[in-house]
Amino acid sequence: MRQKQIKSNDVMLQIFARILILIIITFSIYLLLAGHNNPGGGFIGGLMTASALLIMYLAFDMKTITKAIPINFTTMIGAGLLLAVGTGIVTMLFGYPFLTQFFDYFHLPILGEAELTTALPFDLGVYFVVVGSALTIILTIAEDDK
Amino acid sequence: MTLLHWATISPFLLAIFIPFFYKYLKKIHTGWFVLILPLVLFVYFLSFIPVTSSGDVILRSVPWVPSLGINFALYIDGLSLLFALLITGIGTLVVLYSIYYLSKVKEKLNNFYVYLLMFMGAMLGVVLSDNIIVIYVFWEVTSIASSLLISYWFHREKSTYGAQKSMFITVFGGLSMLGGFSLLYVMTGTFSIREIIANVELVTGSELFLPAMILVLLGAFTKSAQFPFHIWLPDAMEAPTPVSAYLHSATMVKAGIYLVARLTAVFGGSAEWFWIITLAGLTTLMWGSVSAIRQKDLKSILAFSTISQLGLIMSLLGVGSAAYYFNDGDNALYTVAILAAVFHLINHATFKGSLFMTAGIIDHETGTRDIRKLGGLMTIMPVTATISLVGLASMAGLPPFNGFLSKELFFTSMLNATEFGIFSLESFGIILPVLAWIASVFTFAYCLIMFFKTFTGKFKPEELDVDHVHEAPFGMLVSPIILGLLVVVFGLFPNILAYSLIEPAMAAILPGILAPGEVFDVYIHHWHGFVPELFMTIAVVILGTLIFLTMKKWSKSAFYQGERDIFNQVYDGGYDGLVKGAQGITRIQMTGRLRDYFMYMCSFIILVLGYTMYRYDVFSVDTSNLSPIDPYMWVISIIFIGSVVSVPFINNRIGVIIVTGVAGFVVALMFVVFRAPDLALTQLLVETVTVVLFMLVFYHLPKLKKEPVNKRLSVLKLIISVGFGAIMTMVSISAFAMGSGAGFPSISEYFIENAKELAGGYNIVNVILVDFRGLDTMLEILVLGIAALAVVTMIKLRLKGSEDV
């Protein structure tokens, strides 16, 4: 790895990154939840979250972020896959074919009238896998110093 | 399983136990254990003579693969019994001989006897089976066993060369024969020879008649060393002498004869069968006898002599097949050829077996087989000399030995052939007796050479490696003495064979010719009176002696010096050419460069798609159903095309990444234009992440080097790329034109109508992804996960330095 001669000053980048990340992650979660009725979904949401975290890695160095977000992204892939497969298997327990989806309308506290569907945990699984995979790939390659 | 079946496979069963005898009973020569079996089998088969000579046959069948009509059916008639007796009889004598020939201490006897028994069982299977598939199976086992026996001394290069050569040639023939058998099955619907013969009109009337015949004959000719497939036999002489005596004179090389004799009833009577077999036989006879005269090695002389004698028998079978044209058994004019063939078959087995054994004795006692080094052995080895004299006189066709009788019959049948008046014999028939006569002159000459060069003249002990040359031990002489005695007995009393073996064998070769209850009237006698055959024989003796006496003159010539057969050059050249050619082709196409393979794939796709579209004439354009094009679509398309086309001209990695990125973002823009928001979002994000990834990876790569441009290669690549693009465009345009005309409704209507109702969502794309087609999505995220883990494995877990797996 090349040694940096002069310590660069990234103050602007770091400050903007802090603000931007909040917005991007919020938007990505919005995409995830709104997917069923508006453009969006697990895949897009996941990719957007991944890119937000990438900005963090760009602005700060690897160590700091790893300390701040102590998540093993490889494990995240497994968790996402389990969630997605689990959604399918649960329906089988009730005697329906694999991956049958259900939905219904409920009256939740705060949110009021809302639609809940089993496609949401499935989409969440997709989301986890996408975030985990994208970050695993990029971070593994970036960390590699021959 | 009847007793007959057990008898046929008993050699295989015994072979299993041979290694144990060899290992645990070291004091006794393993051959003694083997000896009992062929002797018992010989006696067992003798017991069938009364059955076959009364015109009966025996058929015993056990199912093997009954669903395919393949049964292990054994069939005993005169022909198969004759062969079975030859195999077991000569087998007994050869095993006895080998006990004294092969040293118990120096040789790996377990291998030898296992191979020999394997061969014996396979040979019995070939001649006794009725089912052609079973024949084929045993046929190939004889090829394998023969190769194993030829390469018995596998550390010698010549042995392995000979074994490989015989294997290639006989297996080539065997596979052709399998093809011929399959065609016979196609024509008749049965694998049983008897049933094929019973339905012979299905074969003769079929257009597959000729292909089947040629394929079967390829098998027979390669096995029986017929011209020009004879080249393997002289090289097979590297085998131990008992093997040469057994396989390459008496049994295996006669398997082809057996096949031709057996199928005469199927193919006989046609001009093709007559001419192919007769001419192949006569050419082989001629070529073999002429080649034998220039050999210097005793076993090579015998090998070429075997080739020529097999040609003789083959040509007789060819001439005899004319009997089917006349379909009349009374007239001895045509059937005498079959009689001569069967008789000479027996005679050849006796005298050639004994000659090989004496050649082996000479080799064993003097250490050489080269006739230039040998000489004057008559007084040192009187018994061997006597047996050789008897065998050679019989082979040369001198009275009172059995060879004389069969040679007279041979001349008779060749002369008869000129009188048939069929198959254009009236114009070309005269070449038959002429060729036969010339070949006999040469046969006589090499017999003289072989005897006088070995046993008379000056004894040259200084040329031999052995110190004290003496007569062979008695045990080694027993087998050749018995065979020599048979030569004399069959010569003096030929008719003891006539009724017991020859007549049933003739009846088996020509079934359906005789009326029921009728038998061939065979009477072989020495004195015919002053007929042309007698004068031909006298001329043979005179001319043959002249050739021998003038040997000093012609032995200087190039003809005598070049002893290798010229067809070996064809074989060796063909073999080398095949290897070199295959290597050359592999070297041309397997370049190891991925770009070449990629070019093959693309060219192949272009050719296949292009040909298919041309062949079915499916290129069509349909503009009636097109949407109007908005101006901004033009703009986007132009940007897209511009970015893609510029990629090959950029000589900078980062530049390439950026331009490709531009193309990707334009695609996202297209998705926007064509109203696919989810796709546009995904494309935008994926493109971003990919560009980041490329940057990361390319950061480590060296700078692009300026490579020298190969003009021709670049043009070729350009053609392939343009062709590939063009063909895909054509396919798309045609598919669209056909799809719009077909009138199939799109299934998207269903999703649009039911997305809200069944899945509770308005975003149809997402509903399809997670609900209607959730399984696809699940597996796609699996792919993504696997890709991520693969990257981790490749980078984190790679081997360091010289670390080994």
Side-chain angles (χ1 to χ4, degrees):
Chain A
M1 197 131 186
R2 276 187 293 180
Q3 288 290 311
K4 276 184 188 166
Q5 297 297 323
I6 309 158
K7 178 109 174 96
S8 56
N9 191 346
D10 301 332
V11 176
M12 285 292 275
L13 179 62
Q14 289 177 355
I15 288 177
F16 275 110
R18 284 169 216 245
I19 302 162
L20 273 175
I21 282 152
L22 210 63
I23 300 169
I24 298 175
I25 289 190
T26 316
F27 183 60
S28 74
I29 291 172
Y30 163 76
L31 280 176
L32 168 70
L33 293 177
H36 222 50
N37 293 312
N38 291 307
F43 200 85
I44 305 167
L47 270 179
M48 199 158 270
T49 310
S51 47
L53 291 172
L54 272 180
I55 293 176
M56 297 266 278
Y57 280 104
L58 282 177
F60 304 92
D61 64 315
M62 200 88 94
K63 258 188 209 155
T64 323
I65 302 301
T66 317
K67 212 188 279 172
I69 314 168
I71 298 174
N72 185 342
F73 294 111
T74 322
T75 323
M76 209 165 157
I77 302 174
L81 279 173
L82 270 182
L83 195 60
V85 177
T87 329
I89 289 178
V90 166
T91 58
M92 283 174 81
L93 294 181
F94 294 100
Y96 293 95
F98 184 61
L99 270 179
T100 315
Q101 307 284 26
F102 301 99
F103 66 95
D104 207 346
Y105 299 89
F106 297 97
H107 192 80
L108 295 180
I110 311 173
L111 294 172
E113 183 78 10
E115 180 196 0
L116 282 186
T117 149
T118 51
L120 188 63
F122 185 81
D123 236 359
L124 205 63
V126 175
Y127 175 85
F128 282 145
V129 173
V130 171
V131 173
S133 300
L135 286 172
T136 307
I137 291 171
I138 290 175
L139 293 182
T140 313
I141 293 173
E143 273 176 353
D144 179 42
D145 47 357
K146 299 265 154 74
Chain B
M1 294 288 275
T2 57
L3 187 59
L4 189 55
H5 286 93
W6 287 113
T8 308
I9 60 166
S10 59
F12 294 107
L13 299 177
L14 181 59
I16 298 171
F17 297 102
I18 289 302
F20 297 103
F21 289 139
Y22 175 72
K23 197 170 174 197
Y24 296 110
L25 296 166
K26 272 226 177 274
K27 289 234 174 81
I28 308 167
H29 196 286
T30 317
W32 291 112
F33 301 110
V34 181
L35 184 61
I36 307 158
L37 180 76
L39 193 60
V40 170
L41 287 176
F42 183 68
V43 174
Y44 173 67
F45 283 120
L46 278 180
S47 71
F48 287 104
I49 287 185
V51 179
T52 54
S53 56
S54 66
D56 288 338
V57 294
I58 289 174
L59 179 70
R60 298 274 181 275
S61 181
V62 287
W64 182 24
V65 192
S67 56
L68 298 177
I70 298 171
N71 299 309
F72 186 19
L74 296 178
Y75 181 64
I76 289 196
D77 60 1
L79 185 65
S80 48
L81 184 66
L82 169 64
F83 271 90
L85 286 173
L86 277 182
I87 293 161
T88 50
I90 308 258
T92 313
L93 296 176
V94 161
V95 171
L96 180 64
Y97 176 75
S98 72
I99 292 172
Y100 291 92
Y101 188 85
L102 293 172
S103 157
K104 147 172 93 174
V105 190
K106 286 184 221 149
E107 304 286 356
K108 287 252 177 204
L109 291 175
N110 51 345
N111 293 351
F112 183 79
Y113 286 111
V114 167
Y115 302 158
L116 198 72
L117 283 170
M118 205 169 124
F119 172 79
M120 193 185 288
M123 204 59 216
L124 278 177
V126 167
V127 298
L128 292 177
S129 297
D130 177 54
N131 195 292
I132 46 182
I133 295 297
V134 178
I135 288 184
Y136 172 72
V137 170
F138 283 121
W139 184 279
E140 293 295 24
V141 177
T142 63
S143 292
I144 294 164
S146 159
S147 288
L148 289 169
L149 283 167
I150 293 169
S151 59
Y152 175 64
W153 289 309
F154 54 84
H155 42 83
R156 298 185 190 167
E157 200 185 327
K158 276 186 160 180
S159 294
T160 47
Y161 170 78
Q164 192 194 38
K165 192 173 183 179
S166 78
M167 184 82 159
F168 282 161
I169 295 179
T170 52
V171 168
F172 158 74
L175 285 174
S176 310
M177 194 181 82
L178 180 63
F181 284 171
S182 312
L183 290 183
L184 279 179
Y185 180 76
V186 169
M187 287 184 270
T188 58
T190 173
F191 283 125
S192 160
I193 291 185
R194 279 175 323 108
E195 287 172 30
I196 291 174
I197 291 173
N199 296 315
V200 74
E201 68 283 351
L202 289 176
V203 180
T204 43
S206 167
E207 56 189 5
L208 292 175
F209 177 79
L210 201 57
M213 186 182 100
I214 287 167
L215 286 172
V216 169
L217 280 183
L218 271 179
F221 284 179
T222 51
K223 201 74 161 183
S224 282
Q226 297 296 298
F227 185 89
F229 305 112
H230 62 279
I231 49 171
W232 65 268
L233 192 59
D235 284 307
M237 289 302 128
E238 293 302 320
T241 304
V243 171
S244 310
Y246 190 38
L247 275 68
H248 307 131
S249 73
T251 52
M252 187 176 92
V253 287
K254 294 202 171 113
I257 304 270
Y258 170 79
L259 192 73
V260 169
R262 185 52 98 197
L263 295 178
T264 298
V266 180
F267 296 109
S270 66
E272 295 91 348
W273 180 262
F274 179 90
W275 278 112
I276 291 176
I277 294 182
T278 309
L279 281 186
L282 283 174
T283 316
T284 315
L285 169 64
M286 188 77 196
W287 189 268
S289 60
V290 172
S291 302
I293 210 163
R294 56 185 190 182
Q295 301 302 313
K296 285 98 195 172
D297 181 292
L298 283 180
K299 278 177 84 177
S300 295
I301 299 178
L302 290 175
F304 278 106
S305 139
T306 305
I307 291 169
S308 97
Q309 304 280 315
L310 291 169
L312 189 156
I313 302 173
M314 197 63 97
S315 66
L316 283 172
L317 286 174
V319 171
S321 73
Y324 268 100
Y325 183 84
F326 298 106
N327 211 2
D328 176 9
D330 290 339
N331 201 336
L333 196 62
Y334 346 111
T335 52
V336 71
I338 300 289
L339 161 68
V342 175
F343 191 40
H344 195 70
L345 183 82
I346 304 170
N347 295 341
H348 178 250
T350 53
F351 66 67
K352 193 52 67 63
S354 73
L355 285 175
F356 265 111
M357 288 177 189
T358 54
I361 288 172
I362 293 164
D363 185 18
H364 206 266
E365 300 305 328
T366 64
T368 185
R369 299 191 308 243
D370 194 326
I371 55 168
R372 287 167 300 192
K373 293 182 183 171
L374 293 167
L377 290 175
M378 180 113 72
T379 47
I380 301 166
M381 307 167 84
V383 183
T384 314
T386 313
I387 302 164
S388 294
L389 183 62
V390 170
L392 288 168
S394 175
M395 183 154 80
L398 288 178
F401 303 108
N402 56 8
F404 170 71
L405 300 169
S406 44
K407 181 143 294 180
E408 296 288 285
L409 288 170
F410 172 53
F411 284 155
T412 309
S413 30
M414 286 301 155
L415 288 170
N416 283 352
T418 55
E419 297 169 19
F420 285 179
I422 50 164
F423 307 147
S424 339
L425 271 170
E426 58 276 11
S427 37
F428 301 111
I430 192 67
I431 60 170
L432 267 55
V434 169
L435 275 177
W437 182 76
I438 296 173
S440 298
V441 171
F442 280 97
T443 308
F444 194 82
Y446 72 69
C447 289
L448 287 182
I449 292 172
M450 192 168 161
F451 183 76
F452 286 107
K453 289 278 164 188
T454 317
F455 294 106
T456 65
K458 214 169 133 273
F459 181 52
K460 291 169 267 186
E462 69 282 353
E463 298 240 24
L464 308 175
D465 304 332
V466 185
D467 295 333
H468 181 63
V469 179
H470 54 80
E471 181 60 277
F474 179 68
M476 215 183 222
L477 288 168
V478 170
S479 303
I481 286 174
I482 294 174
L483 286 171
L485 280 177
L486 285 176
V487 170
V488 178
V489 171
F490 292 162
L492 294 177
F493 312 105
N495 292 315
I496 56 167
L497 288 174
Y499 310 118
S500 55
L501 287 175
I502 296 177
E503 281 175 10
M506 285 171 73
I509 295 173
L510 300 172
I513 289 280
L514 290 175
E518 203 182 0
V519 290
F520 286 104
D521 187 24
V522 174
Y523 184 68
I524 304 165
H525 37 117
H526 278 265
W527 182 249
H528 303 268
F530 292 100
V531 283
E533 293 92 309
L534 186 67
F535 297 113
M536 282 168 84
T537 308
I538 291 169
V540 163
V541 173
I542 294 169
L543 273 175
T545 317
L546 270 180
I547 291 182
F548 174 65
L549 291 177
T550 56
M551 190 179 170
K552 276 221 170 74
K553 279 183 191 154
W554 54 260
S555 64
K556 301 274 187 303
S557 66
F559 165 76
Y560 185 65
Q561 299 305 324
E563 58 185 274
R564 290 281 287 169
D565 210 301
I566 50 160
F567 285 95
N568 283 309
Q569 290 172 9
V570 178
Y571 170 82
D572 291 335
Y575 180 77
D576 288 346
L578 195 68
V579 172
K580 287 214 183 85
Q583 283 171 343
I585 289 173
T586 312
R587 218 173 289 132
I588 289 169
Q589 59 170 6
M590 293 289 159
T591 56
R593 286 191 294 264
L594 284 177
R595 63 165 182 242
D596 288 343
Y597 302 151
F598 197 62
M599 260 157 52
Y600 300 155
M601 285 191 255
C602 291
S603 327
F604 185 73
I605 292 171
I606 295 171
L607 291 177
V608 167
L609 282 180
Y611 176 73
T612 313
M613 291 188 72
Y614 165 77
R615 168 78 177 70
Y616 295 98
D617 195 24
V618 285
F619 182 71
S620 52
V621 184
D622 179 16
T623 48
S624 61
N625 224 357
L626 292 179
S627 319
I629 304 174
D630 291 324
Y632 46 82
M633 289 182 189
W634 283 112
V635 177
I636 293 172
S637 305
I638 287 165
I639 300 172
F640 180 73
I641 291 167
S643 63
V644 169
V645 167
S646 61
V647 167
F649 299 100
I650 301 172
N651 205 20
N652 174 334
R653 288 191 202 279
I654 303 297
V656 171
I657 296 168
I658 291 171
V659 174
T660 343
V662 169
F665 289 121
V666 174
V667 170
L669 211 57
M670 284 188 190
F671 286 142
V672 173
V673 172
F674 290 112
R675 284 172 292 171
D678 290 275
L679 283 186
L681 269 171
T682 315
Q683 172 69 20
L684 213 59
L685 287 163
V686 166
E687 196 56 46
T688 317
V689 174
T690 322
V691 168
V692 171
L693 214 56
F694 274 144
M695 291 283 196
L696 268 174
V697 174
F698 280 26
Y699 175 76
H700 297 289
L701 291 179
K703 277 222 169 85
L704 271 180
K705 262 184 274 171
K706 193 120 181 115
E707 282 178 30
V709 181
N710 183 339
K711 266 264 173 64
R712 224 196 253 161
L713 197 64
S714 306
V715 172
L716 187 65
K717 284 181 190 166
L718 185 72
I719 292 171
I720 291 176
S721 328
V722 170
F724 196 78
I727 206 86
M728 286 304 167
T729 314
M730 270 160 69
V731 169
S732 318
I733 292 173
S734 307
F736 175 76
M738 293 191 167
S740 60
F744 289 118
S746 166
I747 60 163
S748 55
E749 295 300 322
Y750 173 82
F751 293 129
I752 294 167
E753 278 166 21
N754 294 300
K756 176 67 196 156
E757 200 172 317
L758 293 179
Y762 291 103
N763 182 350
I764 298 167
V765 174
N766 201 52
V767 165
I768 290 173
L769 282 179
V770 299
D771 196 333
F772 291 125
R773 300 271 172 84
L775 195 68
D776 296 0
T777 313
M778 206 180 78
L779 295 177
E780 272 153 26
I781 60 175
L782 186 66
V783 169
L784 204 60
I786 290 171
L789 292 180
V791 169
V792 173
T793 345
M794 277 202 302
I795 289 174
K796 290 248 171 88
L797 302 180
R798 87 181 129 201
L799 301 177
K800 308 245 171 13
S802 60
E803 196 182 338
D804 205 346
V805 187

